[in-house]
Amino acid sequence: MKSSIFIPYLLRDGAILQRNQENRFWGYTGSEQEVILSYEEIILKTKSDEKGYFDIILPAHEVSEGIDFKISTVDAEIVLKDICFGDVFLLGGAIKYATLDGTSQNTLS
């Protein structure tokens, strides 16, 4: 039976990982399979659990771009292209929301 490797949408071609700190790389594959992640001269190995979940801690990396990651098991392989290490900022928020009495409030003022 051929298995697949599933990784979150955040970890795709062109992803940016935080520089100068460890990063977690995770996903799912077949139950209790060896998973190998390789890039540049680095080879990291782990084993998926009984539900197929795996995670690998990537070592801290300096600012870099254009790195290809290869994730493989005994019967599946994914190659992610153009991975970068840099500064990551997550922004979120709301501008307006409605109250129960029907008025609007500006959340940024």
Side-chain angles (χ1 to χ4, degrees):
M1 180 175 130
K2 185 168 179 154
S3 71
S4 298
I5 302 170
F6 299 96
I7 54 175
Y9 186 73
L10 292 171
L11 304 173
R12 298 291 178 187
D13 290 347
I16 301 172
L17 302 175
Q18 183 62 47
R19 68 181 172 108
N20 299 331
Q21 74 176 36
E22 293 179 338
N23 287 275
R24 179 166 295 216
F25 194 99
W26 71 98
Y28 289 89
T29 189
S31 175
E32 298 180 355
Q33 286 194 1
E34 181 179 54
V35 179
I36 301 170
L37 186 149
S38 60
Y39 61 99
E40 296 178 325
E41 301 298 319
I42 299 168
I43 299 173
L44 304 168
K45 297 180 182 182
T46 192
K47 189 174 181 181
S48 63
D49 66 16
E50 63 279 351
K51 294 181 182 178
Y53 175 80
F54 69 89
D55 68 1
I56 297 175
I57 303 298
L58 307 178
H61 198 289
E62 291 293 320
V63 171
S64 191
E65 62 182 333
I67 301 170
D68 291 345
F69 279 31
K70 182 169 94 172
I71 306 97
S72 58
T73 64
V74 69
D75 54 7
E77 179 178 289
I78 295 175
V79 176
L80 304 179
K81 297 184 179 291
D82 198 27
I83 304 299
C84 302
F85 287 90
D87 289 318
V88 177
F89 298 95
L90 297 177
L91 303 174
I95 295 174
K96 289 188 175 259
Y97 66 92
T99 61
L100 291 177
D101 66 2
T103 62
S104 294
Q105 301 292 318
N106 187 343
T107 61
L108 298 178
S109 60

